[in-house]
PDB file of all heavy atoms in Angstrom:
ATOM      1  N   ALA V 128      -0.429 -12.552  12.842  1.00  0.00           N
ATOM      2  CA  ALA V 128      -1.144 -13.516  11.936  1.00  0.00           C
ATOM      3  C   ALA V 128      -2.659 -13.519  12.199  1.00  0.00           C
ATOM      4  O   ALA V 128      -3.545 -13.630  11.347  1.00  0.00           O
ATOM      5  CB  ALA V 128      -0.630 -14.986  12.240  1.00  0.00           C
ATOM      6  N   GLU V 129      -2.942 -13.469  13.593  1.00  0.00           N
ATOM      7  CA  GLU V 129      -4.453 -13.343  13.967  1.00  0.00           C
ATOM      8  C   GLU V 129      -5.055 -12.100  13.405  1.00  0.00           C
ATOM      9  O   GLU V 129      -6.149 -12.296  12.853  1.00  0.00           O
ATOM     10  CB  GLU V 129      -4.487 -13.287  15.449  1.00  0.00           C
ATOM     11  CG  GLU V 129      -5.930 -13.423  15.959  1.00  0.00           C
ATOM     12  CD  GLU V 129      -6.001 -13.672  17.512  1.00  0.00           C
ATOM     13  OE1 GLU V 129      -4.864 -13.977  18.096  1.00  0.00           O
ATOM     14  OE2 GLU V 129      -7.030 -13.164  18.013  1.00  0.00           O
ATOM     15  N   ASN V 130      -4.416 -10.958  13.600  1.00  0.00           N
ATOM     16  CA  ASN V 130      -5.045  -9.732  13.036  1.00  0.00           C
ATOM     17  C   ASN V 130      -5.141  -9.678  11.455  1.00  0.00           C
ATOM     18  O   ASN V 130      -6.050  -9.218  10.968  1.00  0.00           O
ATOM     19  CB  ASN V 130      -4.177  -8.517  13.605  1.00  0.00           C
ATOM     20  CG  ASN V 130      -4.670  -8.281  14.964  1.00  0.00           C
ATOM     21  OD1 ASN V 130      -5.744  -8.598  15.504  1.00  0.00           O
ATOM     22  ND2 ASN V 130      -3.707  -7.586  15.776  1.00  0.00           N
ATOM     23  N   LEU V 131      -4.138 -10.241  10.874  1.00  0.00           N
ATOM     24  CA  LEU V 131      -4.225 -10.260   9.280  1.00  0.00           C
ATOM     25  C   LEU V 131      -5.382 -11.085   8.974  1.00  0.00           C
ATOM     26  O   LEU V 131      -6.033 -10.789   7.901  1.00  0.00           O
ATOM     27  CB  LEU V 131      -2.819 -10.888   8.758  1.00  0.00           C
ATOM     28  CG  LEU V 131      -1.731  -9.761   8.792  1.00  0.00           C
ATOM     29  CD1 LEU V 131      -0.407 -10.581   8.422  1.00  0.00           C
ATOM     30  CD2 LEU V 131      -2.024  -8.612   7.874  1.00  0.00           C
ATOM     31  N   ALA V 132      -5.701 -12.272   9.697  1.00  0.00           N
ATOM     32  CA  ALA V 132      -6.874 -13.047   9.228  1.00  0.00           C
ATOM     33  C   ALA V 132      -8.079 -12.330   9.514  1.00  0.00           C
ATOM     34  O   ALA V 132      -8.973 -12.368   8.729  1.00  0.00           O
ATOM     35  CB  ALA V 132      -6.784 -14.397  10.107  1.00  0.00           C
ATOM     36  N   LEU V 133      -8.178 -11.460  10.650  1.00  0.00           N
ATOM     37  CA  LEU V 133      -9.323 -10.687  10.924  1.00  0.00           C
ATOM     38  C   LEU V 133      -9.494  -9.675   9.769  1.00  0.00           C
ATOM     39  O   LEU V 133     -10.625  -9.378   9.374  1.00  0.00           O
ATOM     40  CB  LEU V 133      -9.241 -10.057  12.185  1.00  0.00           C
ATOM     41  CG  LEU V 133      -9.390 -10.922  13.488  1.00  0.00           C
ATOM     42  CD1 LEU V 133      -8.894 -10.238  14.758  1.00  0.00           C
ATOM     43  CD2 LEU V 133     -10.703 -11.601  13.540  1.00  0.00           C
ATOM     44  N   ALA V 134      -8.405  -9.055   9.364  1.00  0.00           N
ATOM     45  CA  ALA V 134      -8.438  -8.032   8.274  1.00  0.00           C
ATOM     46  C   ALA V 134      -9.014  -8.629   6.984  1.00  0.00           C
ATOM     47  O   ALA V 134      -9.875  -8.054   6.302  1.00  0.00           O
ATOM     48  CB  ALA V 134      -7.059  -7.428   8.120  1.00  0.00           C
ATOM     49  N   ALA V 135      -8.375  -9.908   6.789  1.00  0.00           N
ATOM     50  CA  ALA V 135      -8.745 -10.473   5.539  1.00  0.00           C
ATOM     51  C   ALA V 135     -10.451 -10.913   5.567  1.00  0.00           C
ATOM     52  O   ALA V 135     -11.108 -10.629   4.475  1.00  0.00           O
ATOM     53  CB  ALA V 135      -8.065 -11.791   5.272  1.00  0.00           C
ATOM     54  N   ARG V 136     -10.838 -11.210   6.719  1.00  0.00           N
ATOM     55  CA  ARG V 136     -12.307 -11.523   6.680  1.00  0.00           C
ATOM     56  C   ARG V 136     -13.079 -10.256   6.658  1.00  0.00           C
ATOM     57  O   ARG V 136     -14.224 -10.250   6.006  1.00  0.00           O
ATOM     58  CB  ARG V 136     -12.557 -12.264   7.962  1.00  0.00           C
ATOM     59  CG  ARG V 136     -12.011 -13.707   8.053  1.00  0.00           C
ATOM     60  CD  ARG V 136     -12.519 -14.622   9.130  1.00  0.00           C
ATOM     61  NE  ARG V 136     -11.791 -15.830   9.159  1.00  0.00           N
ATOM     62  CZ  ARG V 136     -10.793 -16.043   9.920  1.00  0.00           C
ATOM     63  NH1 ARG V 136     -10.417 -15.203  10.804  1.00  0.00           N
ATOM     64  NH2 ARG V 136     -10.172 -17.363   9.965  1.00  0.00           N
ATOM     65  N   ALA V 137     -12.577  -9.172   7.177  1.00  0.00           N
ATOM     66  CA  ALA V 137     -13.342  -7.988   7.177  1.00  0.00           C
ATOM     67  C   ALA V 137     -13.611  -7.485   5.723  1.00  0.00           C
ATOM     68  O   ALA V 137     -14.595  -6.928   5.400  1.00  0.00           O
ATOM     69  CB  ALA V 137     -12.623  -6.815   7.970  1.00  0.00           C
ATOM     70  N   VAL V 138     -12.499  -7.614   4.876  1.00  0.00           N
ATOM     71  CA  VAL V 138     -12.653  -7.089   3.494  1.00  0.00           C
ATOM     72  C   VAL V 138     -13.091  -8.194   2.533  1.00  0.00           C
ATOM     73  O   VAL V 138     -13.289  -7.875   1.359  1.00  0.00           O
ATOM     74  CB  VAL V 138     -11.343  -6.443   2.972  1.00  0.00           C
ATOM     75  CG1 VAL V 138     -10.847  -5.339   3.891  1.00  0.00           C
ATOM     76  CG2 VAL V 138     -10.220  -7.453   2.888  1.00  0.00           C
ATOM     77  N   GLU V 139     -13.199  -9.312   3.066  1.00  0.00           N
ATOM     78  CA  GLU V 139     -13.703 -10.433   2.118  1.00  0.00           C
ATOM     79  C   GLU V 139     -15.027 -10.112   1.674  1.00  0.00           C
ATOM     80  O   GLU V 139     -15.535 -10.429   0.490  1.00  0.00           O
ATOM     81  CB  GLU V 139     -13.568 -11.797   2.837  1.00  0.00           C
ATOM     82  CG  GLU V 139     -13.928 -12.882   1.923  1.00  0.00           C
ATOM     83  CD  GLU V 139     -13.748 -14.285   2.738  1.00  0.00           C
ATOM     84  OE1 GLU V 139     -13.882 -14.293   3.968  1.00  0.00           O
ATOM     85  OE2 GLU V 139     -13.411 -15.228   2.228  1.00  0.00           O
ATOM     86  N   GLY V 143     -12.283  -8.005  -1.214  1.00  0.00           N
ATOM     87  CA  GLY V 143     -11.142  -7.321  -1.171  1.00  0.00           C
ATOM     88  C   GLY V 143      -9.956  -8.311  -0.847  1.00  0.00           C
ATOM     89  O   GLY V 143     -10.129  -9.406  -0.356  1.00  0.00           O
ATOM     90  N   VAL V 145      -6.126  -8.293   1.333  1.00  0.00           N
ATOM     91  CA  VAL V 145      -5.151  -7.682   2.169  1.00  0.00           C
ATOM     92  C   VAL V 145      -3.738  -7.772   1.669  1.00  0.00           C
ATOM     93  O   VAL V 145      -3.327  -8.894   1.279  1.00  0.00           O
ATOM     94  CB  VAL V 145      -5.241  -8.351   3.612  1.00  0.00           C
ATOM     95  CG1 VAL V 145      -4.136  -7.695   4.543  1.00  0.00           C
ATOM     96  CG2 VAL V 145      -6.570  -8.062   4.218  1.00  0.00           C
ATOM     97  N   VAL V 167       4.777 -15.035   6.406  1.00  0.00           N
ATOM     98  CA  VAL V 167       3.698 -14.540   7.233  1.00  0.00           C
ATOM     99  C   VAL V 167       2.370 -14.905   6.511  1.00  0.00           C
ATOM    100  O   VAL V 167       1.441 -15.413   7.133  1.00  0.00           O
ATOM    101  CB  VAL V 167       3.736 -13.017   7.486  1.00  0.00           C
ATOM    102  CG1 VAL V 167       2.482 -12.561   8.172  1.00  0.00           C
ATOM    103  CG2 VAL V 167       4.978 -12.729   8.244  1.00  0.00           C
ATOM    104  N   LEU V 168       2.154 -14.604   5.253  1.00  0.00           N
ATOM    105  CA  LEU V 168       0.991 -14.962   4.541  1.00  0.00           C
ATOM    106  C   LEU V 168       0.602 -16.510   4.612  1.00  0.00           C
ATOM    107  O   LEU V 168      -0.484 -16.878   4.830  1.00  0.00           O
ATOM    108  CB  LEU V 168       1.090 -14.586   3.105  1.00  0.00           C
ATOM    109  CG  LEU V 168       1.291 -13.008   2.843  1.00  0.00           C
ATOM    110  CD1 LEU V 168       1.281 -12.751   1.340  1.00  0.00           C
ATOM    111  CD2 LEU V 168       0.193 -12.162   3.508  1.00  0.00           C
ATOM    112  N   ASP V 169       1.659 -17.193   4.522  1.00  0.00           N
ATOM    113  CA  ASP V 169       1.505 -18.754   4.579  1.00  0.00           C
ATOM    114  C   ASP V 169       1.010 -19.145   6.137  1.00  0.00           C
ATOM    115  O   ASP V 169       0.111 -19.970   6.058  1.00  0.00           O
ATOM    116  CB  ASP V 169       2.629 -19.565   4.213  1.00  0.00           C
ATOM    117  CG  ASP V 169       3.118 -19.447   2.689  1.00  0.00           C
ATOM    118  OD1 ASP V 169       2.122 -19.131   1.894  1.00  0.00           O
ATOM    119  OD2 ASP V 169       4.104 -19.925   2.268  1.00  0.00           O
ATOM    120  N   ARG V 170       1.584 -18.473   7.041  1.00  0.00           N
ATOM    121  CA  ARG V 170       1.137 -18.748   8.415  1.00  0.00           C
ATOM    122  C   ARG V 170      -0.243 -18.386   8.498  1.00  0.00           C
ATOM    123  O   ARG V 170      -1.102 -19.264   9.277  1.00  0.00           O
ATOM    124  CB  ARG V 170       2.063 -18.111   9.380  1.00  0.00           C
ATOM    125  CG  ARG V 170       1.647 -18.223  10.736  1.00  0.00           C
ATOM    126  CD  ARG V 170       2.545 -17.568  11.825  1.00  0.00           C
ATOM    127  NE  ARG V 170       2.127 -17.689  13.128  1.00  0.00           N
ATOM    128  CZ  ARG V 170       2.823 -17.342  14.259  1.00  0.00           C
ATOM    129  NH1 ARG V 170       3.976 -16.887  14.104  1.00  0.00           N
ATOM    130  NH2 ARG V 170       2.301 -17.797  15.457  1.00  0.00           N
ATOM    131  N   VAL V 171      -0.684 -17.237   8.013  1.00  0.00           N
ATOM    132  CA  VAL V 171      -2.094 -16.837   8.185  1.00  0.00           C
ATOM    133  C   VAL V 171      -3.038 -17.931   7.449  1.00  0.00           C
ATOM    134  O   VAL V 171      -4.096 -18.323   8.099  1.00  0.00           O
ATOM    135  CB  VAL V 171      -2.323 -15.510   7.499  1.00  0.00           C
ATOM    136  CG1 VAL V 171      -3.843 -15.083   7.517  1.00  0.00           C
ATOM    137  CG2 VAL V 171      -1.534 -14.333   8.282  1.00  0.00           C
ATOM    138  N   GLY V 172      -2.657 -18.444   6.398  1.00  0.00           N
ATOM    139  CA  GLY V 172      -3.483 -19.403   5.762  1.00  0.00           C
ATOM    140  C   GLY V 172      -3.546 -20.665   6.402  1.00  0.00           C
ATOM    141  O   GLY V 172      -4.627 -21.277   6.608  1.00  0.00           O
ATOM    142  N   GLU V 173      -2.292 -21.077   6.980  1.00  0.00           N
ATOM    143  CA  GLU V 173      -2.339 -22.431   7.633  1.00  0.00           C
ATOM    144  C   GLU V 173      -3.068 -22.406   9.025  1.00  0.00           C
ATOM    145  O   GLU V 173      -3.701 -23.374   9.309  1.00  0.00           O
ATOM    146  CB  GLU V 173      -0.893 -22.919   7.766  1.00  0.00           C
ATOM    147  CG  GLU V 173      -0.125 -23.149   6.367  1.00  0.00           C
ATOM    148  CD  GLU V 173       1.474 -23.119   6.501  1.00  0.00           C
ATOM    149  OE1 GLU V 173       1.894 -22.957   7.647  1.00  0.00           O
ATOM    150  OE2 GLU V 173       2.029 -23.248   5.512  1.00  0.00           O
ATOM    151  N   GLU V 174      -2.797 -21.320   9.699  1.00  0.00           N
ATOM    152  CA  GLU V 174      -3.327 -21.223  11.074  1.00  0.00           C
ATOM    153  C   GLU V 174      -4.703 -20.772  11.195  1.00  0.00           C
ATOM    154  O   GLU V 174      -5.504 -21.091  12.075  1.00  0.00           O
ATOM    155  CB  GLU V 174      -2.429 -20.432  11.975  1.00  0.00           C
ATOM    156  CG  GLU V 174      -1.012 -21.005  12.135  1.00  0.00           C
ATOM    157  CD  GLU V 174      -0.239 -20.169  13.236  1.00  0.00           C
ATOM    158  OE1 GLU V 174      -0.636 -19.199  13.721  1.00  0.00           O
ATOM    159  OE2 GLU V 174       0.981 -20.604  13.399  1.00  0.00           O
ATOM    160  N   HIS V 175      -5.259 -19.901  10.238  1.00  0.00           N
ATOM    161  CA  HIS V 175      -6.493 -19.260  10.368  1.00  0.00           C
ATOM    162  C   HIS V 175      -7.313 -19.423   9.128  1.00  0.00           C
ATOM    163  O   HIS V 175      -8.499 -19.060   9.170  1.00  0.00           O
ATOM    164  CB  HIS V 175      -6.322 -17.685  10.567  1.00  0.00           C
ATOM    165  CG  HIS V 175      -5.438 -17.394  11.782  1.00  0.00           C
ATOM    166  ND1 HIS V 175      -5.930 -17.542  13.125  1.00  0.00           N
ATOM    167  CD2 HIS V 175      -4.167 -17.213  11.966  1.00  0.00           C
ATOM    168  CE1 HIS V 175      -5.072 -17.148  13.990  1.00  0.00           C
ATOM    169  NE2 HIS V 175      -3.993 -16.928  13.336  1.00  0.00           N
ATOM    170  N   GLY V 176      -6.846 -19.984   8.024  1.00  0.00           N
ATOM    171  CA  GLY V 176      -7.766 -20.315   6.901  1.00  0.00           C
ATOM    172  C   GLY V 176      -8.170 -19.127   5.966  1.00  0.00           C
ATOM    173  O   GLY V 176      -8.836 -19.340   5.103  1.00  0.00           O
ATOM    174  N   ALA V 177      -7.369 -18.002   6.167  1.00  0.00           N
ATOM    175  CA  ALA V 177      -7.553 -16.856   5.305  1.00  0.00           C
ATOM    176  C   ALA V 177      -6.642 -16.885   4.147  1.00  0.00           C
ATOM    177  O   ALA V 177      -5.414 -17.028   4.305  1.00  0.00           O
ATOM    178  CB  ALA V 177      -7.422 -15.641   6.176  1.00  0.00           C
ATOM    179  N   THR V 178      -7.061 -16.713   2.972  1.00  0.00           N
ATOM    180  CA  THR V 178      -6.351 -16.801   1.751  1.00  0.00           C
ATOM    181  C   THR V 178      -6.458 -15.576   0.915  1.00  0.00           C
ATOM    182  O   THR V 178      -5.678 -15.551  -0.108  1.00  0.00           O
ATOM    183  CB  THR V 178      -6.803 -17.984   0.867  1.00  0.00           C
ATOM    184  OG1 THR V 178      -8.167 -17.964   0.562  1.00  0.00           O
ATOM    185  CG2 THR V 178      -6.468 -19.289   1.611  1.00  0.00           C
ATOM    186  N   ASN V 179      -7.302 -14.641   1.108  1.00  0.00           N
ATOM    187  CA  ASN V 179      -7.408 -13.458   0.285  1.00  0.00           C
ATOM    188  C   ASN V 179      -6.469 -12.325   0.850  1.00  0.00           C
ATOM    189  O   ASN V 179      -6.727 -11.203   1.215  1.00  0.00           O
ATOM    190  CB  ASN V 179      -8.844 -12.795   0.415  1.00  0.00           C
ATOM    191  CG  ASN V 179      -9.419 -12.486   1.721  1.00  0.00           C
ATOM    192  OD1 ASN V 179      -9.217 -13.230   2.751  1.00  0.00           O
ATOM    193  ND2 ASN V 179     -10.077 -11.375   1.933  1.00  0.00           N
ATOM    194  N   LEU V 180      -5.147 -12.733   0.789  1.00  0.00           N
ATOM    195  CA  LEU V 180      -4.142 -11.985   1.196  1.00  0.00           C
ATOM    196  C   LEU V 180      -3.015 -12.073   0.124  1.00  0.00           C
ATOM    197  O   LEU V 180      -2.771 -13.137  -0.608  1.00  0.00           O
ATOM    198  CB  LEU V 180      -3.417 -12.179   2.452  1.00  0.00           C
ATOM    199  CG  LEU V 180      -4.319 -12.214   3.716  1.00  0.00           C
ATOM    200  CD1 LEU V 180      -4.797 -13.713   3.992  1.00  0.00           C
ATOM    201  CD2 LEU V 180      -3.628 -11.622   4.885  1.00  0.00           C
ATOM    202  N   GLY V 181      -2.115 -11.022  -0.112  1.00  0.00           N
ATOM    203  CA  GLY V 181      -1.154 -11.178  -1.127  1.00  0.00           C
ATOM    204  C   GLY V 181      -0.025 -10.251  -0.969  1.00  0.00           C
ATOM    205  O   GLY V 181       0.064  -9.362  -0.046  1.00  0.00           O
ATOM    206  N   ARG V 206       2.328 -14.684  -6.373  1.00  0.00           N
ATOM    207  CA  ARG V 206       1.856 -14.082  -5.032  1.00  0.00           C
ATOM    208  C   ARG V 206       1.759 -12.728  -5.149  1.00  0.00           C
ATOM    209  O   ARG V 206       1.176 -12.098  -4.061  1.00  0.00           O
ATOM    210  CB  ARG V 206       2.744 -14.602  -3.882  1.00  0.00           C
ATOM    211  CG  ARG V 206       3.046 -16.114  -3.860  1.00  0.00           C
ATOM    212  CD  ARG V 206       1.822 -16.918  -3.467  1.00  0.00           C
ATOM    213  NE  ARG V 206       1.404 -16.724  -2.073  1.00  0.00           N
ATOM    214  CZ  ARG V 206       1.761 -17.368  -1.019  1.00  0.00           C
ATOM    215  NH1 ARG V 206       2.698 -18.310  -1.256  1.00  0.00           N
ATOM    216  NH2 ARG V 206       1.206 -17.136   0.221  1.00  0.00           N
TER     217      ARG V 206
END
Side-chain angles (χ1 to χ4, degrees):
E129 183 178 339
N130 280 337
L131 286 169
L133 291 172
R136 293 194 184 98
V138 303
E139 188 175 27
V145 173
V167 174
L168 299 183
D169 287 348
R170 177 176 182 170
V171 174
E173 291 163 6
E174 295 185 1
H175 301 282
T178 57
N179 56 317
L180 303 98
R206 306 292 294 272

